Amino acid sequence: MRFEDQRKIMIEKNLISRGINDKALLKAFDKVPRENFVPDEWRQYAYQDHPLQIACKQTISQPFIIAYMMQLLEIKSDDIVLEIGTGSGYQTALLAELSKEVYTVERFSELSMSARKVLRSLNYTNIFYRIGDGTKGWDKAIPVQTEFDKIVVCAGSPDIPVSLINQLRLEGRLVIPVGNTTEQKVILLIKHEHENEIIELAPCTFVPLIGQEGWSA
Ligand code: SAH
C-alpha cells in the first residue's frame, strides 16, 4: 500500500478513534511523511502506532502519544514553540506546520544533524536547531529567544525542569512526561502568575531526559 494511504489509515485508526480531533493537527499528520524520518530498514513500519529505533539508541515516538501531547499544547499559528529532544525530527515537522517558529534542542549531534537534513529537504524554514542539554531550555542560544508560548519535552524526566518553567510565558503551556526511567505520566503545566496549574494525564514510556535538570548520564 502507498505511504499516503497508510498515513490516512493511521490517522483514522490510531488518532481520530482515540480522541484526537484538532483539525489543524490532523491535517499536519496528513502532510508530514513519517517514512522520511525512520531508518531505511524500518520504513515499511512507519505507519504502525508504535515507537521505532533511530540512531544513538533513541526512538521516534509513537504517533498517538505525539498527537496526544500536541493536542494538549493547543498550538496557535503565531506561537513560538520550544521542543526538547529533536530525535528524528518528525515531531519538529508537525510543530513547524502548526506554529510560527520552532526552537528544538537535541543532546546528540548525530541526531540533530540528520533531523536537519530531512527537515531541510522538506523545505521547513521556521525551525532553529541547538545541540546541547535541553533541560536548560534555549538558554544563551542563537537566535536569542527568552520566552516561549509552548514547550514540549519528548523524553521522560524525574521532575519538571525549573529552567523550562522560567522560559515559558505567562498562561503558556508545557507538556512533559514525568516519572521514573521506565514509566511516566504526561504532565500539562499551565503557567500562572501565582500558582501554576499542574494536571497529571495519561501513562507513557519515553527514553530518559539526560541532563543537569533531568537524569544523570
Ligand atoms: N519527538 C522525537 C523523540 C525522540 S526521543 C521523535 O519523534 O523522533 C527523545 C530524544 O530526546 C532523544 O533523541 C534524546 O537523545 C533526546 N534527549 C534526551 N535528553 C535530552 C536533553 N537533556 N536535551 C536534549 N535532548 C535530549
Side-chain angles (χ1 to χ4, degrees), residues 54 58-61 66 83-91 105-108 111 132-135 154-155 207-211:
I54 55 175
Q58 304 303 311
T59 53
I60 173 171
S61 309
I66 295 179
E83 178 192 45
I84 308 303
T86 316
S88 66
Y90 176 60
Q91 182 166 1
V105 188
E106 169 56 53
R107 61 186 284 266
F108 286 109
L111 291 177
D133 177 9
T135 65
C154 319
V207 296
L209 182 75
I210 312 274

Side-chain angles (χ1 to χ4, degrees), residues 21-56:
N21 50 23
D22 179 322
K23 291 268 179 325
L25 179 58
L26 293 168
K27 202 171 150 202
F29 268 91
D30 196 26
K31 190 168 170 202
V32 178
R34 193 170 189 253
E35 68 277 13
N36 289 27
F37 295 87
V38 304
D40 283 347
E41 65 262 46
W42 303 120
R43 266 173 89 91
Q44 55 180 313
Y45 305 114
Y47 290 99
Q48 295 190 0
D49 194 36
H50 50 68
L52 294 169
Q53 284 288 331
I54 55 175
C56 307

Side-chain angles (χ1 to χ4, degrees), residues 3-199:
F3 282 127
E4 295 93 288
D5 300 329
Q6 293 186 39
R7 198 175 304 141
K8 291 205 174 358
I9 293 171
M10 192 259 304
I11 291 167
E12 276 294 332
K13 205 175 92 188
N14 300 316
L15 306 186
I16 296 173
S17 71
R18 293 170 73 189
I20 307 299
N21 50 23
D22 179 322
K23 291 268 179 325
L25 179 58
L26 293 168
K27 202 171 150 202
F29 268 91
D30 196 26
K31 190 168 170 202
V32 178
R34 193 170 189 253
E35 68 277 13
N36 289 27
F37 295 87
V38 304
D40 283 347
E41 65 262 46
W42 303 120
R43 266 173 89 91
Q44 55 180 313
Y45 305 114
Y47 290 99
Q48 295 190 0
D49 194 36
H50 50 68
L52 294 169
Q53 284 288 331
I54 55 175
C56 307
K57 296 204 176 105
Q58 304 303 311
T59 53
I60 173 171
S61 309
Q62 175 199 9
F64 172 73
I65 199 77
I66 295 179
Y68 179 79
M69 290 171 78
M70 285 183 67
Q71 186 158 276
L72 290 171
L73 287 173
E74 296 182 358
I75 299 172
K76 312 275 181 300
S77 56
D78 59 351
D79 274 351
I80 306 289
V81 181
L82 174 65
E83 178 192 45
I84 308 303
T86 316
S88 66
Y90 176 60
Q91 182 166 1
T92 320
L94 294 164
L95 292 167
E97 288 288 339
L98 297 173
S99 64
K100 185 174 176 212
E101 286 173 355
V102 184
Y103 293 72
T104 184
V105 188
E106 169 56 53
R107 61 186 284 266
F108 286 109
S109 56
E110 182 183 340
L111 291 177
S112 182
M113 298 317 270
S114 65
R116 270 176 229 213
K117 211 169 138 194
V118 181
L119 290 162
R120 283 195 183 135
S121 74
L122 294 170
N123 298 321
Y124 289 102
T125 53
N126 57 341
I127 303 173
F128 302 96
Y129 305 85
R130 179 188 190 187
I131 297 163
D133 177 9
T135 65
K136 309 298 289 175
W138 195 258
D139 197 27
K140 300 189 185 76
I142 305 275
V144 174
Q145 190 61 247
T146 50
E147 217 179 45
F148 295 90
D149 300 300
K150 308 287 157 67
I151 300 180
V152 62
V153 181
C154 319
S157 179
D159 226 320
I160 309 175
V162 174
S163 298
L164 297 184
I165 302 177
N166 290 341
Q167 289 170 41
L168 186 66
R169 78 152 161 84
L170 270 183
E171 307 308 323
R173 291 175 160 240
L174 176 134
V175 175
I176 177 169
V178 174
N180 58 38
T181 49
T182 49
E183 215 177 19
Q184 304 93 34
K185 285 218 168 102
V186 173
I187 302 284
L188 166 66
L189 178 148
I190 306 173
K191 185 163 171 174
H192 298 305
E193 199 168 343
H194 298 297
E195 205 173 331
N196 297 328
E197 205 173 326
I198 296 179
I199 307 163

